Structure formats: C-alpha cells, structure tokens
C-alpha cells in the first residue's frame, strides 16, 4: 500500500515471481486474455473440453479447489434438492481455470494526461464455469448462503436510479486478517443478456443450435439432461440452460496449502464478531482501515509531499474563487447600468443579472468546497504525521 500511495508502481513486486499474464488496464487493454477466452468459447461450441485447450503461460486448469469460495458439491446438492441442475461446464468433474495477472495501471500525469504502467505485482484468480436450470436469483441466493459458511460477505450495490443490477450478479468479500482479504464474483446468464447484448445473443444462439449430447459436463449433468424438462414437456435442450461463472480473486495463490490458515483466521474473526452489533463491526473495520492507511502513509514520503502540494493548490483555488465571487455585486451593478443605458428592457436586464448572480454563487460554492477539501487534507496530514 505504501508503494501505491507513493506512486512507486515499478517497486511493486509479485508474491512468488511465478508466471503471469498482462491483462492491461481500462484505457490500455491487453488483448491476449480476451483472445484466450474467445478460443475457449469457440472450443466449447465445438464440443471440445477445457482439458484439450492450449492456454497462455501462467494459465492452467486445476482440480485443487481447496480454499475456494464454497463447496461446489454442496451447492450442487442444495440446488438438486430444489429440483434444479447445477453442474460443471467444459470439464467432466469440478475444476477451475487458474491464472495470475500482473497489476497494470493508468497513472495520471501532471498535465492531466495518462501514462500506462506495467508492474510486477500479481493478482491470482480461479474461475469455475457451470450450467444450471435454476433461475439467476436461485443461484445467487444459494451461493451467498453457502459462501457465508466460509466467511464471505455479499457486497451490496448502492441503488442508483436507472441502473439495473442483474439478479444473477453477486460480489463477495472474505476478510481473513487485518491485512488480507479475498473476493469473489458470481455471474449467471439472464434472459436480458440474450435479448439485449448482441455478442451474448449470438453465443446463446450457437449454443441453442448444439445438440445437448455435445455438452461436456459431469455424470449428474449428463444423466439430468437425458430426462424430460418438466417445463417444456420434452427432453432438455441447451436453450433450456443458463451458463455462468464463479470467480475468486486473491493476493496469493489459494489452495490446499492455504486452506487451514484461511479457515483458522476466518473462524477467529467470526467468533469475535458473533458478539458484536453490525454497527460495532463497521466501526472496528473502519478503525482498522484508518490504522493501515496511517502505517502505509508513514512509509510514503512522496505521498506526503503530494498532499502538501494539493492543500496549497486548494487554498489558492479557494482564495481565487472567493475573490471572484466578491467582485460579482459590483459587476452586476455595472452591467445593469450599461444595459439600461443601451436601452435593454427590464426583463432582459433582470435575466442577465440573474445569470451573473448564479455565477457569483457558483464561485462562492467552489471556494467553500476548495476550503473544505484543504481542511480535510490538513487533518489527514496531522493524522498521518502529527
């Protein structure tokens, strides 16, 4: 964290210097991972399992599902008891696609532009692909429930007018230690995907045209798909299924070697929080984040200089905006007089006056904001360095 605060991107290092893939950044995407995903999907559409795929260096297929988000067999059994299929897609038993990506970043420059930085820090991911006859909401609820047994908490999306969160989408986090947490994301295809997204619609159209026998899955999935779909009254077709993925992300490679330690730390946290109110838990975590930030800031001298410069710029902006706002009354009076001498109507003069009044009020608000932000920076400086 200290290196990130200091802008020392090149100083970031990997956990174990293992192979990884550059995934690119928002403004500088690297096409290789997307190309691999496209090849993977093309192979699945041709009835080729993941075992026969050729992956990029740093990407592999693994059956080590220890320390995963949840027990996949338990999730499969839970949905089966509810009359729904949940089975692996592209493999004949539960396996995860494991890969590691280097952290790439778009970094702001002094002139307001962006520069692209490739670092040697790594993130580790495992993803499980699945098919299901359950609704997105059913999968979502079952995943959240079972993941909670391993200390994962759902991240609630803020309600934004006009923004629809799909029912099959979930983001989860697993606090492990004060300095370590894992995260996960669930995505289940929805009818909206098939109807609104052209790329998704094209993929589903190809899937629907495939024979169900072409689908590579486990024994439960194969036997289930040989039966009659109670909804349609005919044998299952691929168009009856939903497809999805459960992704786990972490700062270190998780698996059999880490499971014992993760479980022990999570059990300790859950036992402690069991006797706390939700408000106390939030307060404790906020205090922890503040302490971690203070510790990192003390190791980031360039970050301190950046904050001090930002405070100086905010104070200058506040003074300039305040001075501009203070000139507005005189400017309004001068403008009214000039427009009156020029023969403008009272209605026109009042309109221009209102515009200038709004400019003055905006300048005062800008000055207040700049002053407030400068005060905030001053408090952070005091908090971090005394």
């Amino acid at each position: 964290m200290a290196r990130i605060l200091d802008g020392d991107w090149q100083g970031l290092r990997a956990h174990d210097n293992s192979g990884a893939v550059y995934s690119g950044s928002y403004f500088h995407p690297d096409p290789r991972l997307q190309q691999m995903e496209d090849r993977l999907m093309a192979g699945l559409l041709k009835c080729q399992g993941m075992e026969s795929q050729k992956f990029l260096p740093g990407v592999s297929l693994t059956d080590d599902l220890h320390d995963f988000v949840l027990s996949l067999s338990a999730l499969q059994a839970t949905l089966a008891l509810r009359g729904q299929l949940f089975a692996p897609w592209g493999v004949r038993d539960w396996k995860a696609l494991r890969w590691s990506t280097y952290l790439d970043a778009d970094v702001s420059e002094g002139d307001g532009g962006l520069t692209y930085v490739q670092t040697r820090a790594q993130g580790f991911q495992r993803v499980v692909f699945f098919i299901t006859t359950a609704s997105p909401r059913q999968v979502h609820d079952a995943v959240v429930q079972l993941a909670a047994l391993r200390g994962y908490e759902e991240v609630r999306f803020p309600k934004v007018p006009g923004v629809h969160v799909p029912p099959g989408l979930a983001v989860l986090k697993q606090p492990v230690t004060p300095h370590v947490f894992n995260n996960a994301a669930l995505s289940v295809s929805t009818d909206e995907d098939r109807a609104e997204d052209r790329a998704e619609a094209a993929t589903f159209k190809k899937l629907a045209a495939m024979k169900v026998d072409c689908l590579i899955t486990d024994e439960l999935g194969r036997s289930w798909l040989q039966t009659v779909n109670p909804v349609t009254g005919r044998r299952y077709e691929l168009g009856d299924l939903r497809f999805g993925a459960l992704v786990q992300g972490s700062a270190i490679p998780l698996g059999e070697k880490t499971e014992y330690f993760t479980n022990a730390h999570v059990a300790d946290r859950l036992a402690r929080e069991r006797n706390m109110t939700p408000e106390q838990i939030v307060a404790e975590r906020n205090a922890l984040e503040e302490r971690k930030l203070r510790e990192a800031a003390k190791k980031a001298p360039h970050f301190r200089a950046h904050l001090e410069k930002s405070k100086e710029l905010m104070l200058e902006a506040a003074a300039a905006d305040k001075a501009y706002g203070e000139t507005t009354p005189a400017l309004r009076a001068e403008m009214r007089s000039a427009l009156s001498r020029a023969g403008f109507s009272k209605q026109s003069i009042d309109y221009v006056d209102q515009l200038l009044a709004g400019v003055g009020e905006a300048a005062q608000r800008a000055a207040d904001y700049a002053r407030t932000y400068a005060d905030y920076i001053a408090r952070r400086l005091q908090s971090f360095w005394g």
Side-chain angles (χ1 to χ4, degrees), residues 303-325:
F303 178 57
R304 180 176 185 175
H306 172 73
L307 285 181
E308 290 173 339
K309 181 64 176 178
S310 296
K311 185 185 77 169
E312 180 183 330
L313 292 174
M314 285 296 103
L315 290 173
E316 291 176 358
D321 289 331
K322 184 174 183 294
Y324 183 78

mmCIF file of all heavy atoms in Angstrom, residues 303-325:
data_model
loop_
_atom_site.group_PDB
_atom_site.id
_atom_site.type_symbol
_atom_site.label_atom_id
_atom_site.label_comp_id
_atom_site.label_asym_id
_atom_site.label_seq_id
_atom_site.Cartn_x
_atom_site.Cartn_y
_atom_site.Cartn_z
ATOM 1 N N PHE A 303 4.105 10.693 -1.012
ATOM 2 C CA PHE A 303 2.681 10.885 -0.781
ATOM 3 C C PHE A 303 2.452 12.106 0.111
ATOM 4 O O PHE A 303 1.537 12.895 -0.123
ATOM 5 C CB PHE A 303 2.096 9.630 -0.132
ATOM 6 C CG PHE A 303 0.630 9.713 0.193
ATOM 7 C CD1 PHE A 303 -0.311 9.995 -0.790
ATOM 8 C CD2 PHE A 303 0.185 9.517 1.497
ATOM 9 C CE1 PHE A 303 -1.661 10.073 -0.486
ATOM 10 C CE2 PHE A 303 -1.164 9.587 1.811
ATOM 11 C CZ PHE A 303 -2.090 9.867 0.816
ATOM 12 N N ARG A 304 3.314 12.280 1.114
ATOM 13 C CA ARG A 304 3.193 13.450 1.989
ATOM 14 C C ARG A 304 3.403 14.735 1.197
ATOM 15 O O ARG A 304 2.639 15.699 1.352
ATOM 16 C CB ARG A 304 4.209 13.357 3.122
ATOM 17 C CG ARG A 304 4.149 14.526 4.084
ATOM 18 C CD ARG A 304 5.107 14.338 5.239
ATOM 19 N NE ARG A 304 4.964 15.408 6.235
ATOM 20 C CZ ARG A 304 5.604 15.439 7.390
ATOM 21 N NH1 ARG A 304 6.448 14.449 7.692
ATOM 22 N NH2 ARG A 304 5.415 16.429 8.234
ATOM 23 N N ALA A 305 4.420 14.734 0.336
ATOM 24 C CA ALA A 305 4.680 15.929 -0.475
ATOM 25 C C ALA A 305 3.494 16.202 -1.413
ATOM 26 O O ALA A 305 3.130 17.364 -1.637
ATOM 27 C CB ALA A 305 5.962 15.737 -1.280
ATOM 28 N N HIS A 306 2.905 15.143 -1.941
ATOM 29 C CA HIS A 306 1.744 15.300 -2.823
ATOM 30 C C HIS A 306 0.562 15.909 -2.066
ATOM 31 O O HIS A 306 -0.116 16.813 -2.580
ATOM 32 C CB HIS A 306 1.351 13.943 -3.405
ATOM 33 C CG HIS A 306 0.059 13.953 -4.163
ATOM 34 N ND1 HIS A 306 -0.057 14.531 -5.408
ATOM 35 C CD2 HIS A 306 -1.169 13.475 -3.839
ATOM 36 C CE1 HIS A 306 -1.309 14.420 -5.822
ATOM 37 N NE2 HIS A 306 -2.000 13.779 -4.900
ATOM 38 N N LEU A 307 0.321 15.450 -0.849
ATOM 39 C CA LEU A 307 -0.776 16.005 -0.052
ATOM 40 C C LEU A 307 -0.535 17.478 0.278
ATOM 41 O O LEU A 307 -1.463 18.300 0.215
ATOM 42 C CB LEU A 307 -0.948 15.201 1.235
ATOM 43 C CG LEU A 307 -1.605 13.821 1.124
ATOM 44 C CD1 LEU A 307 -1.718 13.189 2.504
ATOM 45 C CD2 LEU A 307 -2.970 13.909 0.469
ATOM 46 N N GLU A 308 0.701 17.798 0.643
ATOM 47 C CA GLU A 308 1.008 19.186 0.981
ATOM 48 C C GLU A 308 0.816 20.102 -0.228
ATOM 49 O O GLU A 308 0.295 21.223 -0.105
ATOM 50 C CB GLU A 308 2.437 19.289 1.522
ATOM 51 C CG GLU A 308 2.595 18.647 2.900
ATOM 52 C CD GLU A 308 4.037 18.604 3.359
ATOM 53 O OE1 GLU A 308 4.932 18.695 2.487
ATOM 54 O OE2 GLU A 308 4.272 18.470 4.578
ATOM 55 N N LYS A 309 1.232 19.634 -1.404
ATOM 56 C CA LYS A 309 1.047 20.416 -2.625
ATOM 57 C C LYS A 309 -0.438 20.559 -2.949
ATOM 58 O O LYS A 309 -0.899 21.647 -3.356
ATOM 59 C CB LYS A 309 1.784 19.738 -3.781
ATOM 60 C CG LYS A 309 1.686 20.489 -5.101
ATOM 61 C CD LYS A 309 2.361 21.853 -5.015
ATOM 62 C CE LYS A 309 2.352 22.567 -6.354
ATOM 63 N NZ LYS A 309 2.967 23.912 -6.289
ATOM 64 N N SER A 310 -1.203 19.493 -2.752
ATOM 65 C CA SER A 310 -2.646 19.536 -3.017
ATOM 66 C C SER A 310 -3.330 20.539 -2.095
ATOM 67 O O SER A 310 -4.217 21.290 -2.517
ATOM 68 C CB SER A 310 -3.260 18.145 -2.831
ATOM 69 O OG SER A 310 -2.741 17.228 -3.771
ATOM 70 N N LYS A 311 -2.918 20.561 -0.827
ATOM 71 C CA LYS A 311 -3.504 21.525 0.119
ATOM 72 C C LYS A 311 -3.199 22.950 -0.320
ATOM 73 O O LYS A 311 -4.087 23.832 -0.298
ATOM 74 C CB LYS A 311 -2.956 21.275 1.525
ATOM 75 C CG LYS A 311 -3.629 22.163 2.577
ATOM 76 C CD LYS A 311 -2.999 22.007 3.941
ATOM 77 C CE LYS A 311 -1.683 22.739 4.034
ATOM 78 N NZ LYS A 311 -1.168 22.833 5.422
ATOM 79 N N GLU A 312 -1.972 23.171 -0.751
ATOM 80 C CA GLU A 312 -1.578 24.507 -1.214
ATOM 81 C C GLU A 312 -2.412 24.943 -2.418
ATOM 82 O O GLU A 312 -2.891 26.079 -2.489
ATOM 83 C CB GLU A 312 -0.085 24.491 -1.569
ATOM 84 C CG GLU A 312 0.451 25.816 -2.075
ATOM 85 C CD GLU A 312 1.914 25.707 -2.481
ATOM 86 O OE1 GLU A 312 2.628 24.877 -1.893
ATOM 87 O OE2 GLU A 312 2.332 26.456 -3.381
ATOM 88 N N LEU A 313 -2.610 24.011 -3.367
ATOM 89 C CA LEU A 313 -3.396 24.337 -4.558
ATOM 90 C C LEU A 313 -4.852 24.604 -4.208
ATOM 91 O O LEU A 313 -5.489 25.495 -4.783
ATOM 92 C CB LEU A 313 -3.301 23.191 -5.573
ATOM 93 C CG LEU A 313 -1.936 22.984 -6.223
ATOM 94 C CD1 LEU A 313 -1.948 21.727 -7.088
ATOM 95 C CD2 LEU A 313 -1.553 24.206 -7.061
ATOM 96 N N MET A 314 -5.399 23.841 -3.255
ATOM 97 C CA MET A 314 -6.783 24.051 -2.845
ATOM 98 C C MET A 314 -6.961 25.407 -2.167
ATOM 99 O O MET A 314 -7.959 26.099 -2.386
ATOM 100 C CB MET A 314 -7.221 22.934 -1.897
ATOM 101 C CG MET A 314 -7.489 21.593 -2.564
ATOM 102 S SD MET A 314 -8.865 21.621 -3.732
ATOM 103 C CE MET A 314 -7.964 21.668 -5.305
ATOM 104 N N LEU A 315 -5.989 25.817 -1.350
ATOM 105 C CA LEU A 315 -6.070 27.117 -0.701
ATOM 106 C C LEU A 315 -5.991 28.254 -1.725
ATOM 107 O O LEU A 315 -6.694 29.266 -1.620
ATOM 108 C CB LEU A 315 -4.953 27.257 0.334
ATOM 109 C CG LEU A 315 -5.096 26.386 1.584
ATOM 110 C CD1 LEU A 315 -3.845 26.487 2.454
ATOM 111 C CD2 LEU A 315 -6.338 26.784 2.379
ATOM 112 N N GLU A 316 -5.123 28.088 -2.737
ATOM 113 C CA GLU A 316 -5.034 29.093 -3.793
ATOM 114 C C GLU A 316 -6.339 29.175 -4.573
ATOM 115 O O GLU A 316 -6.811 30.278 -4.906
ATOM 116 C CB GLU A 316 -3.873 28.751 -4.736
ATOM 117 C CG GLU A 316 -2.494 28.901 -4.109
ATOM 118 C CD GLU A 316 -1.385 28.454 -5.046
ATOM 119 O OE1 GLU A 316 -1.707 28.002 -6.166
ATOM 120 O OE2 GLU A 316 -0.206 28.558 -4.666
ATOM 121 N N ALA A 317 -6.932 28.008 -4.861
ATOM 122 C CA ALA A 317 -8.204 27.989 -5.593
ATOM 123 C C ALA A 317 -9.311 28.633 -4.769
ATOM 124 O O ALA A 317 -10.147 29.381 -5.306
ATOM 125 C CB ALA A 317 -8.569 26.551 -5.954
ATOM 126 N N ALA A 318 -9.324 28.356 -3.467
ATOM 127 C CA ALA A 318 -10.353 28.942 -2.598
ATOM 128 C C ALA A 318 -10.237 30.462 -2.576
ATOM 129 O O ALA A 318 -11.249 31.175 -2.655
ATOM 130 C CB ALA A 318 -10.219 28.381 -1.185
ATOM 131 N N ALA A 319 -9.004 30.961 -2.489
ATOM 132 C CA ALA A 319 -8.803 32.417 -2.462
ATOM 133 C C ALA A 319 -9.228 33.053 -3.780
ATOM 134 O O ALA A 319 -9.869 34.111 -3.801
ATOM 135 C CB ALA A 319 -7.336 32.726 -2.165
ATOM 136 N N ALA A 320 -8.877 32.404 -4.905
ATOM 137 C CA ALA A 320 -9.226 32.957 -6.217
ATOM 138 C C ALA A 320 -10.740 32.963 -6.431
ATOM 139 O O ALA A 320 -11.304 33.953 -6.914
ATOM 140 C CB ALA A 320 -8.536 32.152 -7.315
ATOM 141 N N ASP A 321 -11.399 31.863 -6.075
ATOM 142 C CA ASP A 321 -12.851 31.795 -6.238
ATOM 143 C C ASP A 321 -13.558 32.789 -5.323
ATOM 144 O O ASP A 321 -14.557 33.412 -5.719
ATOM 145 C CB ASP A 321 -13.348 30.378 -5.946
ATOM 146 C CG ASP A 321 -12.952 29.384 -7.032
ATOM 147 O OD1 ASP A 321 -12.818 29.809 -8.195
ATOM 148 O OD2 ASP A 321 -12.782 28.194 -6.712
ATOM 149 N N LYS A 322 -13.047 32.941 -4.114
ATOM 150 C CA LYS A 322 -13.653 33.889 -3.173
ATOM 151 C C LYS A 322 -13.524 35.313 -3.701
ATOM 152 O O LYS A 322 -14.492 36.110 -3.660
ATOM 153 C CB LYS A 322 -12.980 33.771 -1.803
ATOM 154 C CG LYS A 322 -13.593 34.657 -0.718
ATOM 155 C CD LYS A 322 -12.937 34.356 0.622
ATOM 156 C CE LYS A 322 -13.583 35.176 1.744
ATOM 157 N NZ LYS A 322 -13.344 36.634 1.570
ATOM 158 N N ALA A 323 -12.338 35.656 -4.216
ATOM 159 C CA ALA A 323 -12.118 36.998 -4.758
ATOM 160 C C ALA A 323 -13.029 37.248 -5.961
ATOM 161 O O ALA A 323 -13.597 38.340 -6.112
ATOM 162 C CB ALA A 323 -10.657 37.164 -5.153
ATOM 163 N N TYR A 324 -13.163 36.245 -6.806
ATOM 164 C CA TYR A 324 -14.028 36.394 -7.980
ATOM 165 C C TYR A 324 -15.475 36.593 -7.546
ATOM 166 O O TYR A 324 -16.199 37.431 -8.094
ATOM 167 C CB TYR A 324 -13.917 35.164 -8.880
ATOM 168 C CG TYR A 324 -14.732 35.273 -10.150
ATOM 169 C CD1 TYR A 324 -14.275 36.027 -11.223
ATOM 170 C CD2 TYR A 324 -15.965 34.636 -10.262
ATOM 171 C CE1 TYR A 324 -15.019 36.145 -12.384
ATOM 172 C CE2 TYR A 324 -16.724 34.740 -11.419
ATOM 173 C CZ TYR A 324 -16.242 35.495 -12.479
ATOM 174 O OH TYR A 324 -16.989 35.627 -13.624
ATOM 175 N N GLY A 325 -15.923 35.809 -6.560
ATOM 176 C CA GLY A 325 -17.288 35.943 -6.079
ATOM 177 C C GLY A 325 -17.554 37.307 -5.474
ATOM 178 O O GLY A 325 -18.655 37.858 -5.608
#
